Amino acid sequence: MTDGVRAAVPADVPAVQAVTDLAYHHYIARIGVVPQPMEADHMANVAAGRVFVTGDPVIGLVVIEERADHLFLDSIAVHPDAHGTGVGRLLLEFVDARARALGLPEVRLYTNALMWENQKIYPKFGYEVVERRTDGPYDRIHYRKPLD
């Protein structure tokens, strides 16, 4: 595992909620709906072992889910005060390492089509666009990253 990232525990749930809300809140006006990560059941995700955090206090987190043929990156959130400090890179490297440790050949994720910042970031980390699809109120761009 990548140093500095650990499994979240129930005591982390308020920080997970706060960092997620801070990371995604500014998108509400742009996309016209509340981003899904803000409405997630963080306690259930922590209890299921899907949430990993970094920082003390928590400044970043990922929510991941092991699937049969890939690791799904459900959410990544970095506290706005930590933007540009390498927290996002650390978390994305952790996700890759976790997928490899689980013997999974790739990581998949999606982002809202109006979250254009993400569309610039993910290709820099080896992600390629698979498709664009509408899921309910969400216009999403799906990505995959094959692992060596």
Side-chain angles (χ1 to χ4, degrees), residues 59-80:
I59 57 170
L61 64 111
V62 289
V63 180
I64 57 177
E65 183 178 329
E66 183 179 354
R67 304 240 173 117
D69 61 349
H70 67 279
L71 188 65
F72 177 64
L73 174 53
D74 188 34
S75 174
I76 181 168
V78 176
H79 192 290

mmCIF file of all heavy atoms in Angstrom, residues 59-80:
data_model
loop_
_atom_site.group_PDB
_atom_site.id
_atom_site.type_symbol
_atom_site.label_atom_id
_atom_site.label_comp_id
_atom_site.label_asym_id
_atom_site.label_seq_id
_atom_site.Cartn_x
_atom_site.Cartn_y
_atom_site.Cartn_z
ATOM 1 N N ILE A 59 -7.418 15.060 4.824
ATOM 2 C CA ILE A 59 -7.396 16.077 3.762
ATOM 3 C C ILE A 59 -7.748 15.488 2.405
ATOM 4 O O ILE A 59 -7.905 16.216 1.433
ATOM 5 C CB ILE A 59 -6.044 16.807 3.679
ATOM 6 C CG1 ILE A 59 -4.908 15.813 3.461
ATOM 7 C CG2 ILE A 59 -5.827 17.667 4.909
ATOM 8 C CD1 ILE A 59 -3.578 16.465 3.122
ATOM 9 N N GLY A 60 -7.846 14.166 2.338
ATOM 10 C CA GLY A 60 -8.184 13.528 1.077
ATOM 11 C C GLY A 60 -8.688 12.121 1.308
ATOM 12 O O GLY A 60 -8.388 11.503 2.335
ATOM 13 N N LEU A 61 -9.446 11.629 0.332
ATOM 14 C CA LEU A 61 -10.005 10.289 0.471
ATOM 15 C C LEU A 61 -10.380 9.727 -0.887
ATOM 16 O O LEU A 61 -10.553 10.468 -1.859
ATOM 17 C CB LEU A 61 -11.250 10.330 1.356
ATOM 18 C CG LEU A 61 -12.424 11.136 0.794
ATOM 19 C CD1 LEU A 61 -13.580 10.230 0.417
ATOM 20 C CD2 LEU A 61 -12.857 12.174 1.801
ATOM 21 N N VAL A 62 -10.474 8.418 -0.931
ATOM 22 C CA VAL A 62 -11.032 7.717 -2.085
ATOM 23 C C VAL A 62 -12.064 6.731 -1.575
ATOM 24 O O VAL A 62 -11.961 6.211 -0.468
ATOM 25 C CB VAL A 62 -9.973 6.957 -2.928
ATOM 26 C CG1 VAL A 62 -9.086 7.918 -3.689
ATOM 27 C CG2 VAL A 62 -9.156 6.000 -2.079
ATOM 28 N N VAL A 63 -13.073 6.502 -2.423
ATOM 29 C CA VAL A 63 -14.067 5.467 -2.182
ATOM 30 C C VAL A 63 -13.917 4.506 -3.355
ATOM 31 O O VAL A 63 -14.046 4.918 -4.513
ATOM 32 C CB VAL A 63 -15.501 6.042 -2.116
ATOM 33 C CG1 VAL A 63 -16.502 4.924 -1.853
ATOM 34 C CG2 VAL A 63 -15.592 7.132 -1.056
ATOM 35 N N ILE A 64 -13.595 3.265 -3.048
ATOM 36 C CA ILE A 64 -13.344 2.272 -4.090
ATOM 37 C C ILE A 64 -14.199 1.041 -3.863
ATOM 38 O O ILE A 64 -14.653 0.780 -2.752
ATOM 39 C CB ILE A 64 -11.847 1.887 -4.159
ATOM 40 C CG1 ILE A 64 -11.355 1.364 -2.805
ATOM 41 C CG2 ILE A 64 -11.014 3.063 -4.646
ATOM 42 C CD1 ILE A 64 -9.909 0.888 -2.800
ATOM 43 N N GLU A 65 -14.395 0.304 -4.941
ATOM 44 C CA GLU A 65 -15.184 -0.931 -4.853
ATOM 45 C C GLU A 65 -14.542 -1.989 -5.726
ATOM 46 O O GLU A 65 -14.334 -1.784 -6.925
ATOM 47 C CB GLU A 65 -16.613 -0.666 -5.314
ATOM 48 C CG GLU A 65 -17.516 -1.864 -5.177
ATOM 49 C CD GLU A 65 -18.942 -1.566 -5.608
ATOM 50 O OE1 GLU A 65 -19.398 -0.417 -5.451
ATOM 51 O OE2 GLU A 65 -19.587 -2.502 -6.125
ATOM 52 N N GLU A 66 -14.260 -3.135 -5.122
ATOM 53 C CA GLU A 66 -13.695 -4.259 -5.864
ATOM 54 C C GLU A 66 -14.798 -4.907 -6.686
ATOM 55 O O GLU A 66 -15.854 -5.260 -6.161
ATOM 56 C CB GLU A 66 -13.096 -5.269 -4.880
ATOM 57 C CG GLU A 66 -12.430 -6.433 -5.538
ATOM 58 C CD GLU A 66 -11.826 -7.411 -4.543
ATOM 59 O OE1 GLU A 66 -11.815 -7.132 -3.332
ATOM 60 O OE2 GLU A 66 -11.374 -8.474 -5.000
ATOM 61 N N ARG A 67 -14.553 -5.025 -7.970
ATOM 62 C CA ARG A 67 -15.494 -5.704 -8.861
ATOM 63 C C ARG A 67 -14.774 -6.920 -9.446
ATOM 64 O O ARG A 67 -13.575 -7.093 -9.262
ATOM 65 C CB ARG A 67 -15.944 -4.751 -9.964
ATOM 66 C CG ARG A 67 -16.556 -3.457 -9.392
ATOM 67 C CD ARG A 67 -17.973 -3.237 -9.824
ATOM 68 N NE ARG A 67 -18.590 -2.103 -9.163
ATOM 69 C CZ ARG A 67 -19.030 -1.019 -9.782
ATOM 70 N NH1 ARG A 67 -18.898 -0.903 -11.098
ATOM 71 N NH2 ARG A 67 -19.615 -0.059 -9.103
ATOM 72 N N ALA A 68 -15.487 -7.747 -10.173
ATOM 73 C CA ALA A 68 -14.914 -9.003 -10.664
ATOM 74 C C ALA A 68 -13.693 -8.789 -11.541
ATOM 75 O O ALA A 68 -12.706 -9.528 -11.436
ATOM 76 C CB ALA A 68 -15.979 -9.801 -11.425
ATOM 77 N N ASP A 69 -13.746 -7.785 -12.418
ATOM 78 C CA ASP A 69 -12.658 -7.611 -13.386
ATOM 79 C C ASP A 69 -11.965 -6.259 -13.316
ATOM 80 O O ASP A 69 -11.170 -5.921 -14.171
ATOM 81 C CB ASP A 69 -13.181 -7.850 -14.806
ATOM 82 C CG ASP A 69 -14.285 -6.864 -15.196
ATOM 83 O OD1 ASP A 69 -14.787 -6.129 -14.314
ATOM 84 O OD2 ASP A 69 -14.637 -6.836 -16.383
ATOM 85 N N HIS A 70 -12.273 -5.449 -12.283
ATOM 86 C CA HIS A 70 -11.610 -4.154 -12.141
ATOM 87 C C HIS A 70 -11.863 -3.583 -10.749
ATOM 88 O O HIS A 70 -12.713 -4.074 -10.011
ATOM 89 C CB HIS A 70 -12.109 -3.165 -13.199
ATOM 90 C CG HIS A 70 -13.530 -2.752 -13.045
ATOM 91 N ND1 HIS A 70 -14.584 -3.532 -13.486
ATOM 92 C CD2 HIS A 70 -14.094 -1.642 -12.495
ATOM 93 C CE1 HIS A 70 -15.723 -2.917 -13.224
ATOM 94 N NE2 HIS A 70 -15.464 -1.778 -12.607
ATOM 95 N N LEU A 71 -11.104 -2.561 -10.419
ATOM 96 C CA LEU A 71 -11.357 -1.779 -9.210
ATOM 97 C C LEU A 71 -12.071 -0.515 -9.655
ATOM 98 O O LEU A 71 -11.594 0.192 -10.554
ATOM 99 C CB LEU A 71 -10.044 -1.437 -8.498
ATOM 100 C CG LEU A 71 -10.203 -0.783 -7.120
ATOM 101 C CD1 LEU A 71 -10.864 -1.750 -6.136
ATOM 102 C CD2 LEU A 71 -8.844 -0.352 -6.575
ATOM 103 N N PHE A 72 -13.229 -0.243 -9.062
ATOM 104 C CA PHE A 72 -14.006 0.931 -9.426
ATOM 105 C C PHE A 72 -13.685 2.053 -8.446
ATOM 106 O O PHE A 72 -13.841 1.888 -7.234
ATOM 107 C CB PHE A 72 -15.501 0.609 -9.394
ATOM 108 C CG PHE A 72 -16.367 1.794 -9.699
ATOM 109 C CD1 PHE A 72 -16.315 2.407 -10.939
ATOM 110 C CD2 PHE A 72 -17.225 2.305 -8.740
ATOM 111 C CE1 PHE A 72 -17.104 3.512 -11.226
ATOM 112 C CE2 PHE A 72 -18.026 3.404 -9.013
ATOM 113 C CZ PHE A 72 -17.960 4.013 -10.257
ATOM 114 N N LEU A 73 -13.214 3.175 -8.983
ATOM 115 C CA LEU A 73 -12.958 4.368 -8.174
ATOM 116 C C LEU A 73 -14.245 5.182 -8.178
ATOM 117 O O LEU A 73 -14.553 5.875 -9.142
ATOM 118 C CB LEU A 73 -11.785 5.164 -8.758
ATOM 119 C CG LEU A 73 -11.478 6.520 -8.115
ATOM 120 C CD1 LEU A 73 -11.307 6.414 -6.606
ATOM 121 C CD2 LEU A 73 -10.233 7.123 -8.758
ATOM 122 N N ASP A 74 -14.997 5.041 -7.109
ATOM 123 C CA ASP A 74 -16.306 5.667 -7.006
ATOM 124 C C ASP A 74 -16.199 7.166 -6.751
ATOM 125 O O ASP A 74 -16.981 7.948 -7.267
ATOM 126 C CB ASP A 74 -17.098 4.983 -5.889
ATOM 127 C CG ASP A 74 -18.537 5.420 -5.825
ATOM 128 O OD1 ASP A 74 -19.125 5.702 -6.881
ATOM 129 O OD2 ASP A 74 -19.084 5.473 -4.709
ATOM 130 N N SER A 75 -15.223 7.560 -5.940
ATOM 131 C CA SER A 75 -15.077 8.969 -5.602
ATOM 132 C C SER A 75 -13.660 9.248 -5.133
ATOM 133 O O SER A 75 -13.040 8.420 -4.470
ATOM 134 C CB SER A 75 -16.069 9.328 -4.485
ATOM 135 O OG SER A 75 -15.882 10.644 -4.037
ATOM 136 N N ILE A 76 -13.178 10.427 -5.476
ATOM 137 C CA ILE A 76 -11.923 10.939 -4.937
ATOM 138 C C ILE A 76 -12.212 12.372 -4.527
ATOM 139 O O ILE A 76 -12.866 13.115 -5.264
ATOM 140 C CB ILE A 76 -10.764 10.841 -5.949
ATOM 141 C CG1 ILE A 76 -9.454 11.355 -5.336
ATOM 142 C CG2 ILE A 76 -11.091 11.540 -7.254
ATOM 143 C CD1 ILE A 76 -8.216 11.033 -6.170
ATOM 144 N N ALA A 77 -11.776 12.732 -3.335
ATOM 145 C CA ALA A 77 -12.024 14.077 -2.822
ATOM 146 C C ALA A 77 -10.783 14.586 -2.107
ATOM 147 O O ALA A 77 -10.197 13.871 -1.292
ATOM 148 C CB ALA A 77 -13.217 14.073 -1.869
ATOM 149 N N VAL A 78 -10.405 15.816 -2.422
ATOM 150 C CA VAL A 78 -9.267 16.473 -1.778
ATOM 151 C C VAL A 78 -9.760 17.806 -1.227
ATOM 152 O O VAL A 78 -10.450 18.554 -1.925
ATOM 153 C CB VAL A 78 -8.107 16.694 -2.778
ATOM 154 C CG1 VAL A 78 -6.968 17.471 -2.128
ATOM 155 C CG2 VAL A 78 -7.610 15.353 -3.315
ATOM 156 N N HIS A 79 -9.419 18.076 0.008
ATOM 157 C CA HIS A 79 -9.791 19.351 0.627
ATOM 158 C C HIS A 79 -9.239 20.485 -0.231
ATOM 159 O O HIS A 79 -8.077 20.440 -0.647
ATOM 160 C CB HIS A 79 -9.223 19.425 2.044
ATOM 161 C CG HIS A 79 -9.770 20.547 2.853
ATOM 162 N ND1 HIS A 79 -9.474 21.868 2.593
ATOM 163 C CD2 HIS A 79 -10.613 20.532 3.921
ATOM 164 C CE1 HIS A 79 -10.100 22.627 3.474
ATOM 165 N NE2 HIS A 79 -10.802 21.851 4.288
ATOM 166 N N PRO A 80 -10.053 21.502 -0.523
ATOM 167 C CA PRO A 80 -9.563 22.608 -1.376
ATOM 168 C C PRO A 80 -8.262 23.240 -0.895
ATOM 169 O O PRO A 80 -7.443 23.656 -1.717
ATOM 170 C CB PRO A 80 -10.726 23.612 -1.330
ATOM 171 C CG PRO A 80 -11.929 22.779 -1.077
ATOM 172 C CD PRO A 80 -11.472 21.662 -0.168
#
